[in-house]
Amino acid sequence: MGVEYLTEVEAKELAGQAGIPVVETVLAHNREDAQTVADRLGYPVVIKIVSREIVHKSDAGGVKLNLETAAQVGTAYDDIMAAVADRNPDAEILGVSVQQMARPGVEVIIGMSKDADFGPVLMFGLGGIFVEVLKDVSFRIAPIARHDAKEMINEISGVALLQGYRGTEPVDLTALENLLLKVSGLVESNPDLEVMDLNPVFLYRDGAMVVDARMAVAAR
Ligand code: ADP
Ligand code: MG
């Protein structure tokens, strides 16, 4: 069975409606619109390509971070469109998303995939190399309760990195548990969702923020 990707803007909207903290993200249809939205959101901002056919936006040259002025947004827009025209010439482009630039945090990922026997399975792990190289992740069949969320967090080998490590501050583990529970709720109330990838989620001393969301639904 095929899947159909939501745009990042749509995925974040769905997540936000489910009570998941997402960085403010607005679809802009052209260069001028992107600058207007950026002025309204306040700087610094991030802009990213929006296309259902471009799932890995950075690989496509489609992500520009930490833009400080409308002029920089304009240049970034031109650079993104040029890179995408070069690398993904056939992709249908819906515009760019303009986002608030989230303050840095500890990066984690939260995912969902469907298992033929068990249905939706949630995944949690630390971001970057921890997932890609070390496969340091935990899984639970959805829906989960708070004690499952606590176990998912404590099961990963790198949990010490969340608990405060050599002088770094501990992250807000209650906010992380709440986020896992909200994701579980979102999955439960949207049975059409086939895959979800919140990557990365930034964790802070106080709170958590989803900065990228990828979701797909079963194609009809
Ligand atoms: P990709 O489709 O390549 O996964 P992302 O949206 O995850 O693209 O962006 C790539 C990286 O840029 C992220 O891993 C994160 O480090 C950073 N980033 C993306 N959006 C934001 C944002 N709104 N605020 C701060 N950093 C961001
Ligand atoms: Mg990402």
Side-chain angles (χ1 to χ4, degrees), residues 8 12 23 46 48 55-59 63 65 99-102 107 199-200 202 211-212:
E8 180 187 349
K12 280 177 167 171
V23 73
V46 174
K48 304 181 194 173
V55 172
H56 300 288
K57 301 175 293 289
S58 307
D59 294 350
V63 178
L65 304 173
Q99 317 186 358
Q100 282 174 340
M101 174 85 190
E107 288 194 20
N199 180 10
F202 288 176
V211 308
D212 183 25

Side-chain angles (χ1 to χ4, degrees), residues 9-43:
V9 181
E10 292 164 343
K12 280 177 167 171
E13 199 173 303
L14 199 59
Q17 285 163 2
I20 293 168
V22 293
V23 73
E24 190 168 0
T25 300
V26 178
L27 178 65
H29 296 282
N30 56 48
R31 190 181 198 274
E32 202 188 322
D33 195 15
Q35 291 174 316
T36 307
V37 173
D39 281 341
R40 180 157 61 75
L41 290 184
Y43 297 93

